Amino acid sequence: MPSTLPTKKRASRDWTSLPFDINGRVGERLLAADDIDYYMAFRAASHNWRSATKDYPEKADYSDPTRFQPSKWALLGQRNDLITLVNVDTGRFLRKSIPLLRKYFLIGATGGGLLLLGEATEPHRALVLNPFTGSIAHFKAPIPVVGVRAVAVTKAPLMVFVSSDNGDIMWADQNSERFKRYWGSDDGNRPTCMTSFAGLVYATDQRGAVIASAVSDAAAEEQRPRSTLTISWDTIIPCLDTSLDTSYLAWLRTGKYNLVESRGDLLLVTRPPYFASTNQTPVVVHRIDTERKMLEPVSSIGSRAIFVGPVRCLSIDADKFRGIKGGCVYFVESLLVRGVDYKPPTMTVFHVAYPWRHFISFGWCPPEGGCFCPFIQVLADYCRSVHYSELFEMEAREWGLDDPSSSDSESDKSSYSETDDEALSFEPDE
């Protein structure tokens, strides 16, 4: 028997008419977490949501990739036009299609997530792409054909910095005809680690000196414009190691120095001597006061875990990643370069707050997949792999160098594969 009770139709909610301040707070939280893709989707959902968030100016400049610039994403790998990123603060993984990668060469990525591209046709000019907003900036200078360790981008004006596989630092602004190059000191002491911090680019060398990009020959009160030609490298922290030997064996004895941005601080991380006992392990982390140009010892890094490799460094929130211990520094061995067969990484782990040391080694896993690859190994390969673009390989074949395709030394082949998706037990956001 059908019911004769009166039914009341439930009114549908109009989420687009949420109060203005609530919409604004949602947008702010998405930006605070660096979920820029969610933020852009939120803005596109309705006019009310878009008007409540930080919109583009009335005359938008979509050639500025630093607007809504990502700062917490690391590029783990690339396969064709698909890239895989991880948010180092929230633990969120993202797989994203970048159609432009079908037309341009991927040269490298910043520590935050901006992509450096090169044109497929000569003279292979450089471009910087924001993969979350689609904004792209074109440069006049041809991209350097080198193995890439790190990429950094600064604003006002927009400049891109590239650290090569041999330690050279190259940079250009959008009006430069070519990249300028810094080789290091005359005695062979070369830069080893480069990162951006608070609008400038910093690097350290084999002896622990820290240098920063600055406008050359400018007094403190002088406002000299920044450009490729006016940039120089000033020493803000003098050499910690005064020995004259900069060979490989020398830093085995004296330690190696690395820079990493972590929770808003610029840290100098020192690799303790290989032959030091656990009880003799020195303080390995210092905070760099860039204003006073001083080092401050760091007794704890909280829940952060710092991965230090021969190519790049990374600070993550260990609470968001299973199997990674907070408060520790993971020193990754060994370097992966072109023409070298893939070998599993090893790691030495030091706790910052107290003398504790642990060794980690991994079983051999073919880069093409087919076996379990733990996420910690993916991070290790990320920190030790020099990236060689297709443009580099194309030029190398013309130079008559050996084809390294069988060595699988590229970071996207050695550290991440399609099979890894199941092994890492996560579902990347599309």
Side-chain angles (χ1 to χ4, degrees):
M1 180 176 178
S3 173
T4 59
L5 295 176
T7 59
K8 184 178 180 180
K9 186 177 181 180
R10 179 179 296 178
S12 60
R13 294 180 181 273
D14 182 10
W15 294 104
T16 63
S17 61
L18 287 173
F20 188 88
D21 60 332
I22 293 181
N23 287 332
R25 290 179 183 178
V26 171
E28 290 174 359
R29 290 197 174 191
L30 292 176
L31 285 181
D34 222 32
D35 290 327
I36 303 173
D37 55 331
Y38 288 167
Y39 178 80
M40 300 303 292
F42 178 78
R43 292 179 61 252
S46 75
H47 173 75
N48 290 341
W49 290 7
R50 184 162 55 253
S51 62
T53 56
K54 297 178 181 178
D55 203 355
Y56 283 98
E58 185 175 347
K59 295 183 178 180
D61 181 9
Y62 292 96
S63 64
D64 181 11
T66 62
R67 184 163 184 83
F68 303 123
Q69 179 176 350
S71 61
K72 301 176 182 178
W73 294 89
L75 177 65
L76 295 182
Q78 174 218 355
R79 187 175 293 275
N80 299 323
D81 65 335
L82 288 175
I83 61 173
T84 302
L85 305 109
V86 61
N87 189 311
V88 298
D89 278 4
T90 66
R92 178 185 166 215
F93 292 86
L94 172 65
R95 172 173 288 176
K96 188 174 181 63
S97 173
I98 308 294
L100 281 176
L101 293 181
R102 303 169 190 165
K103 301 191 300 180
Y104 297 97
F105 297 116
L106 176 63
I107 307 301
T110 68
L114 293 179
L115 304 183
L116 176 61
L117 309 179
E119 292 179 344
T121 58
E122 294 184 354
H124 306 300
R125 294 186 178 92
L127 307 91
V128 174
L129 170 70
N130 187 324
F132 296 94
T133 66
S135 297
I136 189 168
H138 294 261
F139 288 71
K140 292 182 179 179
I143 198 70
V145 184
V146 296
V148 174
R149 289 175 174 264
V151 176
V153 170
T154 61
K155 298 184 286 187
L158 183 67
M159 301 182 71
V160 60
F161 295 75
V162 178
S163 173
S164 73
D165 50 356
N166 62 5
D168 298 348
I169 298 177
M170 295 156 284
W171 68 97
D173 59 41
Q174 289 183 272
N175 296 318
S176 304
E177 296 295 334
R178 62 184 59 86
F179 277 73
K180 196 174 179 180
R181 186 184 297 257
Y182 173 76
W183 288 275
S185 58
D186 296 334
D187 58 3
N189 187 18
R190 306 180 71 86
T192 58
C193 185
M194 183 190 78
T195 188
S196 61
F197 178 75
L200 297 178
V201 175
Y202 294 83
T204 186
D205 60 26
Q206 293 167 297
R207 297 186 190 142
V210 178
I211 58 176
S213 61
V215 177
S216 59
D217 301 326
E221 66 278 0
E222 183 181 355
Q223 296 295 325
R224 191 179 181 190
R226 296 177 74 249
S227 70
T228 299
L229 297 178
T230 61
I231 289 294
S232 65
W233 295 92
D234 294 348
T235 300
I236 65 170
I237 302 295
C239 293
L240 302 180
D241 177 14
T242 57
S243 67
L244 297 179
D245 188 358
T246 57
S247 66
Y248 178 77
L249 290 178
W251 74 258
L252 280 181
R253 295 192 302 267
T254 61
K256 190 174 181 180
Y257 308 95
N258 299 270
L259 292 177
V260 60
E261 190 275 333
S262 180
R263 288 195 304 185
D265 289 328
L266 181 62
L267 303 180
L268 178 65
V269 182
T270 305
R271 173 47 159 113
Y274 275 78
F275 308 111
S277 66
T278 303
N279 294 332
Q280 296 173 340
T281 301
V283 175
V284 296
V285 181
H286 290 85
R287 175 183 174 272
I288 301 176
D289 188 329
T290 57
E291 295 294 330
R292 296 189 298 164
K293 301 180 179 180
M294 295 177 57
L295 293 179
E296 300 174 353
V298 173
S299 59
S300 173
I301 57 174
S303 65
R304 306 299 292 189
I306 298 176
F307 284 76
V308 175
V311 173
R312 57 182 68 91
C313 303
L314 185 70
S315 172
I316 69 173
D317 187 342
D319 290 342
K320 301 298 190 298
F321 298 91
R322 183 181 301 176
I324 297 177
K325 185 177 179 65
C328 293
V329 179
Y330 291 73
F331 290 98
V332 181
E333 321 290 346
S334 56
L335 179 65
L336 270 181
V337 295
R338 183 181 185 275
V340 175
D341 291 337
Y342 177 82
K343 294 181 180 179
T346 60
M347 292 189 290
T348 307
V349 188
F350 291 85
H351 201 284
V352 177
Y354 52 84
W356 176 86
R357 182 169 58 179
H358 180 62
F359 297 95
I360 300 176
S361 61
F362 299 94
W364 192 87
C365 179
E368 63 272 12
C371 68
F372 179 81
C373 182
F375 177 63
I376 192 172
Q377 184 173 349
V378 175
L379 290 181
D381 282 340
Y382 168 82
C383 292
R384 71 188 185 118
S385 302
V386 177
H387 178 73
Y388 297 92
S389 66
E390 293 182 31
L391 175 60
F392 182 97
E393 301 300 345
M394 182 177 67
E395 295 284 343
R397 286 190 291 270
E398 293 182 3
W399 298 336
L401 301 180
D402 294 335
D403 184 358
S405 58
S406 61
S407 66
D408 295 312
S409 62
E410 296 182 42
S411 61
D412 59 299
K413 294 181 181 179
S414 64
S415 63
Y416 202 85
S417 65
E418 290 180 347
T419 308
D420 293 334
D421 296 339
E422 299 178 1
L424 295 179
S425 301
F426 69 85
E427 291 293 333
D429 299 323
E430 297 290 350

